[in-house]
Amino acid sequence: QVQLVESGGGLVQAGGSRGLSCVASGTIFSLGSMGWYRQAPGKQRELVATITSGGTANYADSVKGRFTISRDNAKKSVYLQMNSLKPEDTAVYYCNVIHYRLGIFREDYWGQGTQVTVSS
């Protein structure tokens, strides 16, 4: 089993910045893509950004140029730096990790979510 612990959520004013962190622990064989998703009230969960084990990042159009995803493979961590925040960025942000048990069996893990609220 892999556990994910997120941190960094909170209240921030529009135009401000916030950083999120997610650390994976437990019995870890091989971590694949890591990423962040978010879910606003009344909406479906949506992709924010992902990053491969090799460092290739992918962003939702709505956050391109404002958010930056990064990872530290040694620390089994993924980060999301959010700048120029907008009220529409308000959501619960979830960390997601693709784990390959024994190096071959794919498993998806989710964090518990961290609330980010952007006030106007």
Side-chain angles (χ1 to χ4, degrees):
Q1 284 284 351
V2 175
Q3 294 81 43
L4 301 177
V5 178
E6 300 145 337
S7 60
L11 177 64
V12 62
Q13 288 190 331
S17 298
R18 198 81 180 181
L20 302 181
S21 300
C22 174
V23 181
S25 63
T27 304
I28 296 173
F29 290 92
S30 177
L31 294 177
S33 181
M34 305 176 79
W36 292 92
Y37 291 71
R38 66 186 182 187
Q39 187 167 18
K43 295 187 177 181
Q44 290 189 329
R45 190 173 297 187
E46 63 177 6
L47 179 146
V48 176
T50 61
I51 186 167
T52 67
S53 56
T56 299
N58 176 58
Y59 297 93
D61 287 342
S62 60
V63 306
K64 280 181 181 176
R66 300 189 297 123
F67 291 11
T68 301
I69 189 170
S70 60
R71 65 188 282 170
D72 185 326
N73 291 328
K75 294 183 178 179
K76 299 178 177 59
S77 297
V78 62
Y79 310 96
L80 185 69
Q81 179 62 39
M82 304 180 291
N83 298 327
S84 302
L85 282 161
K86 304 175 181 179
E88 51 262 44
D89 294 317
T90 296
V92 177
Y93 284 70
Y94 296 91
C95 175
N96 170 261
V97 166
I98 297 174
H99 174 248
Y100 293 95
R101 184 167 54 88
L102 300 178
I104 54 175
F105 298 107
R106 172 176 169 153
E107 300 172 333
D108 276 49
Y109 289 96
W110 293 88
Q112 79 284 359
T114 184
Q115 177 71 47
V116 174
T117 301
V118 183
S119 63
S120 57

